[in-house]
Amino acid sequence: METKIIDGRVLSDQLRKSIKQKVCELRQNNIIPGLTVILVGDDPASQIYVRNKKRACEQVGINSNVIRLDNNITEYELLGKIHDLNEDTSVHGILVQLPLPSHLSSEKIINTIDPSKDVDGFHPVNAGKLLAGQPYLAPCTPRGIIKLIESTGEDISGKHAVVIGRSNIVGKPVSIMLLQKNATVTICHSKTIELDKIARQGDILVVAMGRPQSITDKYIKTGAIVIDVGTSRVNGKLLGDVVFEDAKGKAGWITPVPGGVGPMTITMLLENTILAAQSSSVL
């Protein structure tokens, strides 16, 4: 069968036009959306991610600022930086680029961010609101995944969605979002027995394992929507968790790597920043 490509770049560009218009409307009301990213250390991948986020902000008119900190900064010093940003009314969104050096507690750092400025959607308050069906600032990658699925024109309601991966960043929140869209959701992980058999039941298959080229056509139901969240660099090449060439001809729809989920994650970060700025104007 013919497999259609879900182009995250095209969808992202369309959404950013709407975001840019919202930024213009906020600026007309003297609200200038502001995002501050904290980058600790000199991890090459993190440097690239932060540069892409800053460029995206500039494209839509969001004020962006990157605070670059030494790898050996103390936890006390970093928490102090976050406290200052929490109090700064010109900053609507705060993002701490992960991963952090091993001597810093990611959990403690994230929990210190004001939930109303937590544009990554990782704070326990925002996670709890998502679980309770009252989402405010939801995690960016899961939000992007839902929009990618919806862009196919297929109705999520009633579909069997299989999610491979149970991380707090992708697997768990996207499972909740799919459930709230009335899908029947199965969550699989490293201890799942007969993973291929369960995966083949999915009308929607979301793969977020972090294991490059692990999912072949034997895991895919004919005609399924396949969302590949994996991004691993192998021998200088960016690869997904799904063997793309195997999936073509079996899946009905599939996201490529790169160019699928990645662009949408940054676009959802922009949307969360706008939402935070809008909310700050009515507090």
Side-chain angles (χ1 to χ4, degrees), residues 68-82:
R68 301 178 186 274
L69 303 173
D70 290 338
N71 193 67
N72 59 359
I73 189 172
T74 67
E75 194 167 85
Y76 178 80
E77 290 171 320
L78 180 52
L79 292 174
K81 294 282 186 185
I82 294 173

Side-chain angles (χ1 to χ4, degrees), residues 182-213:
N182 296 316
T184 297
V185 182
T186 300
I187 304 174
C188 300
H189 45 78
S190 59
K191 304 299 182 183
T192 299
I193 297 172
E194 295 187 311
L195 176 60
D196 56 341
K197 180 179 178 181
I198 297 172
R200 281 198 305 272
Q201 297 174 23
D203 305 303
I204 298 168
L205 181 63
V206 179
V207 186
M209 303 169 65
R211 297 181 183 178
Q213 306 293 273

